[in-house]
């Protein structure tokens, strides 16, 4: 075993505590009513689908649940040739 | 060719999720494209152990129900670009997993991955049988303790009866992974010995993972133990087990008695 490992024993519990606080804050908020971010995600996709033909394979949705804010990143590839649907 | 591995045990809390994450990361570290799939619908935890809990957007049930594409639901590991997670859903009930849906997901995963590691829920119900359904290989996680050994025996029976391979008249390759092994208690005679467990279950041993605080520490940090500290005793055990899974032959070492700092520096006593 490395000596480095022996001397680098900083505690991991504070990290665990912080991760859990963030996670549980989000999970508790989403019990009962459905998850706001999930609702936004679906509605954003629905609105876009109304106007352009989106290929579900070309959509990437990323989320990062932070302590104070969640970022929702919806990345949609719209081909130049995609016809604008009649309103 | 993709290999489907189920990590299963019957009994709860023996180390399936820990082992799925550690073996998955170890295989990915060998540069083989690996996905770990959480079948514990309603009680997902693999995302936490992998440190991806903040990034879950879609889950296995979303994919099965057609709400999301597989590529959208998979989360790429931030440390290893060959490692992916397919999370379980936290909110739906277990009936959302359908045999047809699971089959579709498995067929698609097989096209893209070298290894598909399925983290089974405890028990012998739907989630557990679906997790093992498509397995080529089973890692039976067992603690050296009577109820765990009994439940493993039960699971071995299911692997020989309820899997696709069994139904085709083929065999699922079964391996025993002994976890939470405490050398001190084994030496005192308070714990089943490795040979006892092997004799009772009679499937080949793929590794012995010692009881270790490094496992808790890794889960606190949200890293598979093989990534959190690859020099720790449990990491070494998992890295070796992954090499055996990949077909290498190497001798199994029984974790020695707890050694202090000097013991660590001067290494193992001669056997
Ligand atoms: N080798 C080990 N040394 C010490 N603790 C361990 C070890 N392996 C697992 N644990 C701990 O045991 C607990 C259960 O582990 P884990 O969640 O991996 O089990 P599981 O079989 O997936 O449980 P479940 O049946 O609930 O899904 C966790 O707290 C984990 O940190
Ligand atoms: Mg588990």
């Amino acid at each position: 075993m490395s000596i480095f490992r022996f001397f680098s024993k900083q505690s991991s519990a504070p990290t665990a505590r912080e991760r859990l606080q963030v996670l549980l804050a989000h999970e508790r908020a989403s019990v009962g009513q459905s998850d706001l971010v999930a609702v936004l995600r679906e509605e954003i996709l629905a609105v876009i689908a109304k106007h352009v033909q989106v290929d579900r394979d070309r959509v990437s949705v990323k989320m990062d649940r932070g302590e104070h804010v969640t970022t929702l990143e919806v990345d949609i590839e719209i081909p130049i040739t995609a016809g604008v649907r009649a309103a | 060719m993709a290999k489907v591995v189920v990590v299963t045990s019957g009994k709860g809390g023996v180390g399936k999720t820990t082992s799925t994450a550690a073996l998955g990361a170890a295989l990915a570290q060998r540069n083989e494209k690996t996905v770990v799939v959480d079948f514990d619908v309603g009680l997902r935890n693999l995302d936490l152990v992998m440190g991806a809990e903040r990034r879950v957007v879609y889950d296995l049930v979303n994919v099965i129900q057609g709400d999301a594409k597989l590529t959208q639901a998979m989360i790429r590991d931030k440390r290893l670009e060959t490692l992916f997670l397919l999370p379980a859903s936290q909110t739906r009930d277990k009936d959302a997993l359908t045999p047809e849906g699971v089959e579709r997901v498995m067929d698609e995963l097989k096209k893209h991955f070298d290894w598909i590691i399925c983290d089974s829920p405890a028990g012998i119900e739907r989630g557990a049988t679906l997790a093992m359904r498509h397995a080529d290989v089973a890692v039976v996680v067992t603690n050296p303790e009577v109820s765990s050994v009994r439940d493993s025996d039960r699971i071995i029976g299911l692997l020989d009866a309820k899997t696709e391979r069994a139904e085709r008249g083929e065999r699922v390759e079964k391996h025993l992974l002994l976890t939470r092994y405490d050398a001190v208690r084994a030496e005192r005679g308070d714990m089943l010995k490795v040979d006892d467990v092997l004799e009772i279950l009679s499937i080949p041993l793929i590794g012995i993972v010692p009881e270790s605080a490094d496992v808790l520490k890794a889960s606190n940090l949200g890293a598979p133990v093989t990534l959190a500290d690859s020099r720790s005793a449990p990491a070494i055990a998992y890295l070796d087990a992954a090499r055996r899974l990949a077909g290498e032959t190497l001798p199994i070492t029984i974790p020695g008695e707890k050694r202090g700092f000097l013991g660590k520096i001067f290494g193992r006593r001669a056997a």
Side-chain angles (χ1 to χ4, degrees):
Chain A
M1 295 299 133
S2 70
I3 292 180
F4 171 73
R5 198 163 79 81
F6 181 81
F7 288 113
S8 68
K9 284 244 189 309
Q10 81 272 53
S11 64
S12 60
T15 312
R17 181 169 164 272
E18 200 237 80
R19 290 176 62 219
L20 276 174
Q21 278 173 336
V22 172
L23 178 65
L24 295 184
H26 287 283
E27 288 196 343
R28 285 177 187 148
S30 65
V31 166
Q33 77 195 59
S34 60
D35 189 349
L36 172 65
V37 184
V39 171
L40 287 178
R41 179 188 75 203
E42 289 314 310
E43 292 193 0
I44 290 169
L45 290 178
V47 164
I48 290 162
K50 235 166 54 183
H51 296 284
V52 277
Q53 195 119 35
V54 279
D55 178 353
R56 288 286 263 185
D57 280 331
R58 302 265 163 235
V59 177
S60 127
V61 185
K62 285 189 185 144
M63 221 184 303
D64 195 342
R65 298 179 186 80
E67 196 172 343
H68 303 293
V69 288
T70 293
T71 57
L72 175 67
E73 187 186 316
V74 184
D75 204 328
I76 304 168
E77 272 183 36
I78 301 171
I80 310 170
T81 53
V84 175
R85 287 188 189 171
Chain B
M1 261 294 276
K3 270 217 168 152
V4 182
V5 180
V6 60
V7 178
T8 184
S9 69
K11 190 172 162 63
V14 295
K16 293 179 291 297
T17 301
T18 303
S19 301
T20 301
L23 292 173
L27 290 165
Q29 278 170 290
R30 296 166 56 92
N31 235 351
E32 295 174 47
K33 217 173 154 200
T34 304
V35 59
V36 290
V37 186
D38 193 346
F39 274 83
D40 208 340
V41 171
L43 281 175
R44 74 161 171 240
N45 270 327
L46 189 55
D47 57 335
L48 258 179
V49 174
M50 301 280 296
E53 73 280 0
R54 294 185 188 194
R55 295 194 290 139
V56 174
V57 185
Y58 296 108
D59 55 57
L60 177 59
V61 170
N62 290 139
V63 177
I64 284 177
Q65 296 183 337
D67 299 332
K69 294 276 185 185
L70 189 54
T71 45
Q72 296 172 323
M74 282 190 300
I75 302 170
R76 188 195 283 264
D77 189 85
K78 284 201 164 153
R79 297 146 297 210
L80 287 175
E81 61 168 26
T82 44
L83 181 60
F84 291 78
L85 163 70
L86 182 55
S89 82
Q90 182 70 324
T91 48
R92 324 289 184 91
D93 65 302
K94 292 193 197 315
D95 293 341
L97 279 189
T98 60
E100 303 74 33
V102 170
E103 180 164 3
R104 246 189 304 115
V105 170
M106 285 296 154
D107 284 344
E108 203 171 334
L109 287 176
K110 282 186 207 166
K111 290 184 213 151
H112 303 288
F113 288 94
D114 299 312
W115 294 95
I116 301 160
I117 319 281
C118 306
D119 182 17
S120 175
I124 52 171
E125 305 297 318
R126 191 191 193 92
T129 51
L130 282 176
M132 70 170 63
R133 177 108 197 112
H134 301 273
D136 301 304
V137 180
V139 171
V140 180
V141 181
T142 307
N143 294 164
E145 174 261 319
V146 286
S147 58
S148 174
V149 173
R150 179 210 210 168
D151 290 357
S152 292
D153 190 63
R154 188 80 190 277
I155 281 292
I156 290 170
L158 288 179
L159 287 166
D160 289 334
K162 290 270 174 108
T163 52
E164 252 194 347
R165 270 180 174 257
E167 286 168 8
R168 287 201 305 260
E170 294 167 25
R171 300 184 61 82
V172 173
E173 195 185 299
K174 298 181 288 290
H175 299 280
L176 180 69
L177 183 64
L178 206 57
T179 58
R180 312 202 70 163
Y181 182 83
D182 185 332
V184 173
R185 286 166 63 202
E187 208 150 281
R188 277 207 310 258
D190 293 340
M191 205 177 59
L192 284 169
K193 290 254 165 56
V194 176
D195 286 342
D196 299 334
V197 181
L198 278 176
E199 192 194 322
I200 296 166
L201 294 178
S202 59
I203 57 172
L205 185 64
I206 199 164
I208 305 169
V209 182
E211 172 77 23
S212 161
D214 289 306
V215 171
L216 179 65
K217 191 173 162 188
S219 76
N220 278 343
L221 299 174
V225 68
T226 44
L227 288 180
D229 181 353
S230 61
R231 311 275 310 262
S232 67
I236 291 168
Y238 279 120
L239 287 164
D240 282 356
R243 289 173 63 186
R244 292 185 194 103
L245 256 188
E248 290 181 37
T249 24
L250 50 157
I252 301 233
T253 46
I254 298 180
E257 63 280 340
K258 293 233 159 41
R259 280 183 301 266
F261 181 45
L262 291 180
K264 279 184 177 168
I265 286 189
F266 294 113
R268 256 166 209 287
R269 284 198 314 232

